[in-house]
Amino acid sequence: MKKKLIGLALSAAMLFSVLSVPAFAAVPEESADPALTTEQTAAEEENCFFTSSSTEEEKEPNSITYVALGDSICAGIGLTTVQYAHNLMGVDVSFNFKGYPETCYVGQVGKSLNLDRDHAINLGLPGVMSKDMLELVKTGTMAEMNTLSGCQYNYPEFVDYIKSADVISIQLGSNDAFVPTVVSFGEATNWKSEDLASIVLSGNLRSSSKETEDALNESLKKLSLTRSEKDAVWNLFFSGMNKICENAYPESSSNLRQIVATVKELNPDAQILIIGATNPVPLLPSWSDYFSKLNNYEKQLADVYGATYVSIPFAQTELDGHPTVSGHKYIADKIVKAIEAQQ
């Protein structure tokens, strides 16, 4: 199976997620202490799971309400028991608001802070782009379907959740580049990649079940590309990606600013955490540049609005671009530390 994936990647017929490596392989942000080497910093970040911290102390139950805004990373896609149902507008993930996997970072934050699921709420929406989230935090509804992602979410309770929260985290930005890339890959292959993309986006790529293996084999068989399709894929990797990322950054940064401003207006007393982005494809320079600029902008945004920027450069990810269980634990640990620093 692995040989097939590598062969397809080399022939430019594989979805760009095959180029993904764990996010900590990307160049980390500089340490505040210049004496620390990259290896030392990485070791400290990874070993934080095994050291004693105040998060292990008994917490007063439900002392705060934590609300997490985000995309499929926040929702826990790729982990088990993500709660959703199909409806006429795509999928309904409202079941996951409180029925999320305990291993996603929202669940692990709740466990560390002794919060039940009425006080640790997961508003992660698979496929959501920043422009969609902007509509949702303003009105609780998307006026129309996002034709790129195929999603249309309508949750009026979003606004109430934001207003009632003590801590609100915002994790967004990846889909502004990722979704157009998946669509462009589909167009380049005349949608022969559609089934494979569905497996990747659903998080099922990491499943070892026979059903997933059979589905993956069938999707790979369809990736027998013509010469013109191969040329289109190469063009996407070497020039198309640059255009996608160049177009995504102005929109992402503008929407993120408005999202933070709206959340601040709805709940001026809440602690706002802006979660940094991880780069699931550091082998592609255009993506590295996009995420570097996005993270730098988020730091500035946090300063302007009195929020806290939470950097997560070493979050481990799978080939589907979503964090592993350890990756979620790492993100949760960083969030808990940011919350406790304000208490």
Side-chain angles (χ1 to χ4, degrees):
M1 180 64 63
K2 185 178 292 185
K3 290 181 179 179
K4 287 184 179 180
L5 292 176
I6 294 173
L8 286 167
L10 292 176
S11 65
M14 186 59 194
L15 192 62
F16 79 102
S17 62
V18 175
L19 295 175
S20 303
V21 297
F24 58 71
V27 177
E29 298 171 19
E30 292 185 1
S31 169
D33 183 353
L36 289 177
T37 65
T38 300
E39 290 78 8
Q40 288 173 318
T41 305
E44 289 177 1
E45 295 287 355
E46 291 300 313
N47 289 336
C48 71
F49 303 141
F50 308 105
T51 57
S52 298
S53 70
S54 59
T55 61
E56 295 175 351
E57 299 174 1
E58 186 67 25
K59 304 292 182 184
E60 179 183 349
N62 304 321
S63 58
I64 63 169
T65 296
Y66 167 53
V67 171
L69 301 172
D71 54 31
S72 57
I73 292 175
C74 178
I77 292 296
L79 305 175
T80 58
T81 66
V82 173
Q83 302 294 313
Y84 68 92
H86 293 279
N87 61 21
L88 293 177
M89 293 185 293
V91 294
D92 176 13
V93 295
S94 59
F95 302 103
N96 202 58
F97 291 175
K98 297 182 181 180
Y100 47 81
E102 65 178 14
T103 50
C104 74
Y105 70 75
V106 179
Q108 298 196 53
V109 168
K111 182 178 180 181
S112 294
L113 298 180
N114 202 9
L115 306 176
D116 63 25
R117 293 186 178 228
D118 288 323
H119 293 81
I121 298 162
N122 189 334
L123 302 185
L125 303 175
V128 75
M129 299 172 72
S130 62
K131 64 178 182 179
D132 306 325
M133 185 60 75
L134 178 57
E135 284 191 276
L136 287 163
V137 298
K138 284 184 173 181
T139 66
T141 64
M142 290 171 57
E144 58 186 15
M145 179 174 287
N146 184 321
T147 55
L148 289 178
S149 67
C151 296
Q152 184 175 4
Y153 294 114
N154 293 288
Y155 300 120
E157 63 267 36
F158 250 58
V159 175
D160 292 330
Y161 279 133
I162 292 170
K163 288 181 177 179
S164 64
D166 298 296
V167 179
I168 302 165
S169 66
I170 301 171
Q171 172 273 313
L172 287 168
S174 298
N175 282 340
D176 288 353
F178 184 67
V179 171
T181 298
V182 172
V183 173
S184 295
F185 188 82
E187 292 173 345
T189 62
N190 287 314
W191 297 103
K192 293 178 181 178
S193 62
E194 184 173 9
D195 290 347
L196 177 60
S198 296
I199 295 172
V200 172
L201 294 173
S202 67
N204 290 334
L205 184 64
R206 66 181 79 180
S207 172
S208 59
S209 69
K210 188 177 186 304
E211 290 79 9
T212 298
E213 183 177 347
D214 290 343
L216 184 58
N217 282 329
E218 286 301 313
S219 68
L220 291 173
K221 288 178 183 178
K222 293 181 180 180
L223 281 177
S224 177
L225 304 183
T226 65
R227 177 61 181 271
S228 62
E229 290 168 346
K230 290 179 181 179
D231 289 343
V233 170
W234 277 115
N235 182 66
L236 172 62
F237 277 118
F238 289 102
S239 62
M241 291 282 194
N242 290 332
K243 293 179 181 178
I244 288 172
C245 290
E246 287 174 0
N247 292 335
Y249 176 72
E251 183 171 3
S252 295
S253 55
S254 175
N255 290 334
L256 280 169
R257 179 185 60 78
Q258 295 179 74
I259 289 168
V260 174
T262 301
V263 169
K264 187 77 172 177
E265 182 178 354
L266 288 171
N267 191 340
D269 296 325
Q271 180 187 6
I272 299 175
L273 308 177
I274 302 176
I275 311 299
T278 61
N279 180 8
V281 280
L283 298 181
L284 296 177
S286 56
W287 278 72
S288 295
D289 182 60
Y290 171 72
F291 283 109
S292 177
K293 290 194 297 184
L294 189 63
N295 281 322
N296 286 333
Y297 180 79
E298 288 177 341
K299 291 179 190 176
Q300 298 171 20
L301 199 60
D303 290 339
V304 170
Y305 286 95
T308 302
Y309 173 72
V310 180
S311 175
I312 54 170
F314 302 107
Q316 293 183 344
T317 58
E318 283 280 4
L319 289 179
D320 56 27
H322 299 104
T324 62
V325 172
S326 294
H328 277 280
K329 182 173 177 58
Y330 166 73
I331 296 170
D333 185 72
K334 300 276 276 189
I335 290 173
V336 169
K337 288 180 179 179
I339 293 173
E340 291 182 331
Q342 294 288 317
Q343 294 180 343

